[in-house]
Amino acid sequence: MSPVSGLGERDGPAGRVGPPDGGGSDDGALLARLRVRRASGFTLDVTLTAASGTTVAVLGPNGAGKTTLLRALAGLQPVDTGRISLDGLVLDDPTEGIFVPAQRRTVGMVFQDYLLFPHLSARDNVAFGLRCRGVPRAAARAAALRWLETFGLAEFAARRPGALSGGQAQRVALARALAAGPKLLLLDEPLAALDAATRLAVRGDLRRHLSGFGGPSVLVTHDPIEAMVLADHVVIIEAGRVVQQGPPAEVARRPRTDYVARLVGLNLYRGEAEAGVVRLPGGGTLTVADSAITGPVLAALRPSAVMLGVVEPHGSARNTLAGRVTGLELLGDRARVAVDTNPALLADVTPAALAELRLEPGSRVWASFKATDIETYPDEAL
Amino acid sequence: MSRIFTAGRLRRPCSRVPAPSAGPAPGPARPGGRPRGRARRRIGGRVPVPLAAAGGIALAFLLLPLAGLLVRVPWRDLPELLAEPEVREALRLSLLTASIATVLSLAVGVPLAWLLARADFPGRGLLRAVITVPLVLPPVVGGVALLLAFGRRGIVGRYLDAWFGITLPFTTAGVVVAEAFVAMPFLIVAVEGALRSADRRFEDASATLGASRWVTFRRVTLPMIAPSLGAGAVLCWARALGEFGATITFAGNFPGTTQTMPLAVYLALETDPDAATALSLVLLVVAVVVLALLRDRWLRPGTTL
């Protein structure tokens, strides 16, 4: 097919972690392989694909390059090398001398703090994109009003952004981006500026609108729950590079880096597997259920699968480790206990168990967990 | 001008004294204000005598001339004096030329401010410095420079004269040129500062919605800096209205064509001091009105020009 479709195949890491691509068609799809060097010396080097009608979440810590990625996709920042194409159309390719600026990209963007124009009413904010595309004022306003209606905001049409609540402003910003008829939707931390209660409601809304949007969407966030709920595919970047990508459930089950493991709340160990035993660099070992796997592996363990006791357990658990409590943290209905066993562990117990065992920092404990609770998978460099 | 600003600054605390009973009595309001002031003073310790004394001298120095002006205004004859044809003519000419100079400054100064703040070209920093020269240049020198450029023998003026028959010096148009030369930098500096401090991501948002840079400038940038633009325009207008040195050097002092208010004041001082006082009062009132318009921008603590 076109050189564009070849690009995705060539650059998708091992072709294994690409998003569902709707039967191999590139209609409307976003294909991006880009490298952006910033003056600070930071380099973003990312390959990203998103099929029509799917949402890709880009997850990463602050400073990982998430916003730079969105700006490059939006056309606000040219790439140094690489190629961005959307719906078969090349938007940015320095080797061919192509750079389509933001105003000609038909890319909608929802900014983190919305950036609604403060001097325009909600309706005129939504009508702005249509006016820029040559729609007469009356028609643009009527269309804007219909958009606001679908977002349940018709009664706020005449309000200035300053008089809108955070949740309303967020929805106006989404309506404004969608009203311009984009082929690609970019969302930069769309829920970060909202308080927890509003976030839940707006997240549900956002999910509905994202699934109604026909083109690909890219969502940047540092909130794993947001990514899991809203996205079909998760791309995790750290320090400007993709460290892991895949369906949300896969990422949650088999994290590849410590950052991802922390995000999804798992204990993660890197080691060498042989005959059902994983040897860790620190000298510890884990007994795992998969005796066939060999070589470099990652082993993930849910904190809730770890049992703690003050006497050495003699049960079916194949892994038994002794150590001291180094930290305690209450997380809602459970307590997360950090233990300095070899390897170090996080274990979740109920507050009642915590009280019964009289655990406090420095307490000696035994930690045990079953071999079958450890998820073992090959540690492949991306 | 700065003198007049100071007067306004001093006036403000009086107007802010809360009046619990809306009656005409200043008595009840004062006790309400005083204890608070005393309490605040105690927290910081006593005001050092040298500072209080020197500050008092400065205050008197700045206020006395204004008081002198107000005391000597011939209030009874005021309507008559201001109705005199020369005075009315000077006032009309001043308002007209200052307004035209401001419009001209807006038309070309705002685009220049945008170029300085947004466009990327070599020598931008140098250009920015050059533009502020008229701010600190003695206006008379500005007038001389204008003569050398736009005078009949000037490097540009001779062609204006020869090709188009346009003569600027000693005409009303010359007054506008002199005023614009001196006042435009105020506008440019104000607008450029506003553009630099404006959040450029709004312009990014505009671009993602399909707006060209020109549309973004008109529909997003300009409305967002409107308050600064207004303040810059008012400042520019006030500066043009008070312009003396460049005007008298470049445009002369002909009643009806180039004699603006400041020139009329200067001239009247020789012949008719009462008229000079009356004209000065008018300019003072204008200055105070300008100050009132800009009050929120400048009289907040910590703000600078």
Side-chain angles (χ1 to χ4, degrees):
Chain A
M1 230 166 82
S2 69
V4 172
S5 69
L7 181 104
E9 286 154 24
R10 193 172 63 238
D11 292 302
R16 190 181 52 81
V17 285
D21 59 5
S25 159
D26 280 344
D27 285 352
L30 167 74
L31 306 168
R33 168 179 54 99
L34 56 93
R35 208 179 149 88
V36 180
R37 205 170 294 111
R38 280 205 307 236
S40 57
F42 172 84
T43 304
L44 176 72
D45 192 348
V46 168
T47 298
L48 184 93
T49 57
S52 249
T54 67
T55 300
V56 172
V58 177
L59 199 58
N62 286 334
K66 306 188 296 284
T67 298
T68 305
L69 171 64
L70 278 198
R71 290 181 62 83
L73 295 177
L76 298 169
Q77 156 100 57
V79 304
D80 290 319
T81 55
R83 182 187 185 113
I84 299 171
S85 71
L86 176 64
D87 196 14
L89 208 75
V90 177
L91 297 178
D92 195 346
D93 189 340
T95 56
E96 286 188 38
I98 297 173
F99 177 71
V100 180
Q103 67 259 29
R104 288 196 276 115
R105 276 202 186 184
T106 57
V107 170
M109 184 151 172
V110 176
F111 293 83
Q112 183 173 358
D113 36 5
Y114 319 133
L115 300 179
L116 295 173
F117 304 129
H119 56 285
L120 296 179
S121 66
R123 183 191 58 189
D124 287 346
N125 262 284
V126 177
F128 190 91
L130 291 166
R131 294 283 293 129
C132 290
R133 306 217 191 283
V135 177
R137 175 171 292 147
R141 285 190 166 167
L145 211 55
R146 283 196 299 278
W147 274 105
L148 288 174
E149 269 163 19
T150 64
F151 279 79
L153 291 167
E155 58 194 296
F156 304 108
R159 286 215 193 159
R160 294 282 175 89
L164 296 172
S165 73
Q168 290 161 354
Q170 202 278 342
R171 282 177 284 169
V172 172
L174 183 60
R176 180 176 72 169
L178 289 173
K183 287 184 182 166
L184 166 67
L185 186 62
L186 306 173
L187 304 118
D188 189 1
E189 305 263 6
L191 306 176
L194 301 175
D195 58 75
T198 319
R199 190 176 302 164
L200 209 63
V202 176
R203 192 168 68 204
D205 250 25
L206 188 59
R207 187 187 160 90
R208 194 160 50 82
H209 289 290
L210 281 179
S211 60
F213 174 62
S217 1
V218 177
L219 164 84
V220 150
T221 177
H222 64 252
D223 178 359
I225 295 177
E226 215 170 292
M228 303 294 163
V229 170
L230 296 173
D232 307 294
H233 189 80
V234 177
V235 174
I236 292 157
I237 59 176
E238 282 178 59
R241 290 174 180 279
V242 176
V243 294
Q244 182 168 9
Q245 55 178 314
E250 168 77 11
V251 171
R253 203 163 58 92
R254 296 186 156 188
R256 296 205 159 270
T257 70
D258 292 338
Y259 166 73
V260 184
R262 254 198 324 278
L263 274 186
V264 299
L266 294 183
N267 291 300
L268 181 68
Y269 307 103
R270 193 170 264 111
E272 289 280 333
E274 201 188 337
V277 173
V278 177
R279 295 188 186 286
L280 307 176
T285 56
L286 296 172
T287 305
V288 299
D290 185 351
S291 56
I293 195 166
T294 52
V297 293
L298 289 166
L301 172 67
R302 277 177 299 115
S304 58
V306 179
M307 283 164 289
L308 295 181
V310 287
V311 294
E312 186 172 359
H314 296 282
S316 64
R318 302 291 311 279
N319 295 284
T320 305
L321 304 165
R324 284 179 190 276
V325 173
T326 56
L328 288 168
E329 190 188 357
L330 207 59
L331 305 167
D333 60 347
R334 67 216 148 85
R336 177 155 291 182
V337 185
V339 192
D340 71 347
T341 43
N342 187 12
L345 277 173
L346 290 174
D348 282 357
V349 298
T350 59
L354 193 72
E356 202 167 302
L357 296 172
R358 295 180 178 276
L359 294 183
E360 54 185 24
S363 303
R364 292 192 64 87
V365 287
W366 287 90
S368 58
F369 44 95
K370 296 163 74 172
T372 49
D373 278 328
I374 304 176
E375 177 86 17
T376 321
Y377 44 100
D379 181 16
E380 289 163 345
L382 269 178
Chain B
M1 211 175 195
S2 59
R3 237 192 300 167
I4 293 164
F5 283 168
T6 313
R9 187 191 286 261
L10 290 169
R11 201 163 291 176
R12 208 184 175 205
C14 305
S15 66
R16 278 175 66 188
V17 168
S21 62
R30 276 205 154 184
R34 247 190 198 163
R36 248 196 303 167
R38 207 177 272 160
R40 204 183 300 153
R41 194 169 292 169
R42 247 182 230 140
I43 289 164
R46 197 171 281 185
V47 172
V49 173
L51 291 185
I57 291 171
L59 188 63
F61 174 70
L62 293 173
L63 278 189
L64 279 176
L66 295 179
L69 176 64
L70 289 174
V71 165
R72 290 294 297 277
V73 168
W75 296 101
R76 233 181 346 171
D77 303 333
L78 198 59
E80 213 172 291
L81 282 169
L82 294 181
E84 272 179 36
E86 295 85 25
V87 172
R88 274 172 44 202
E89 192 54 38
L91 186 59
R92 186 193 67 85
L93 191 68
S94 273
L95 295 176
L96 182 74
T97 52
S99 301
I100 295 175
T102 303
V103 170
L104 283 181
S105 298
L106 283 169
V108 296
V110 173
L112 180 56
W114 186 88
L115 289 174
L116 288 175
R118 289 287 189 275
D120 216 6
F121 55 88
R124 191 170 62 161
L126 184 70
L127 197 62
R128 188 179 293 124
V130 168
I131 281 158
T132 51
V133 166
L135 281 179
V136 291
L137 194 72
V140 178
V141 180
V144 171
L146 284 171
L147 270 179
L148 295 177
F150 297 112
R152 273 186 183 214
R153 304 255 180 97
I155 48 170
V156 179
R158 77 176 68 154
Y159 300 110
L160 285 179
D161 192 26
W163 294 351
F164 308 107
I166 295 175
T167 316
L168 286 177
F170 311 109
T171 63
T172 304
V175 176
V176 172
V177 168
E179 289 179 350
F181 179 78
V182 173
M184 198 192 299
F186 283 86
L187 177 74
I188 294 172
V189 167
V191 172
E192 201 220 338
L195 285 171
R196 287 170 154 274
S197 58
D199 190 345
R200 294 190 60 174
R201 295 177 314 137
F202 282 101
E203 295 172 13
D204 290 344
S206 175
T208 64
L209 292 166
S212 65
R213 286 191 99 176
W214 169 240
V215 169
T216 298
F217 172 74
R218 268 192 317 124
R219 295 207 49 207
V220 176
T221 313
L222 219 45
M224 285 184 70
I225 62 157
S228 301
L229 188 68
V234 169
L235 183 61
C236 173
W237 186 79
R239 183 67 190 82
L241 195 72
E243 166 41 37
F244 179 87
T247 309
I248 203 163
T249 313
F250 184 60
N253 185 14
F254 304 112
T257 52
T258 72
Q259 190 182 78
T260 56
M261 288 283 280
L263 306 195
V265 170
Y266 182 71
L267 208 72
L269 210 52
E270 312 263 297
T271 56
D272 185 357
D274 274 358
T277 318
L279 288 168
S280 298
L281 179 73
V282 171
L283 289 178
L284 175 63
V285 167
V286 169
V288 169
V289 168
V290 166
L291 186 73
L293 287 175
L294 298 178
R295 186 188 55 196
D296 290 337
R297 284 184 66 75
W298 286 348
L299 291 192
R300 260 184 258 125
T303 54
T304 54
L305 171 73

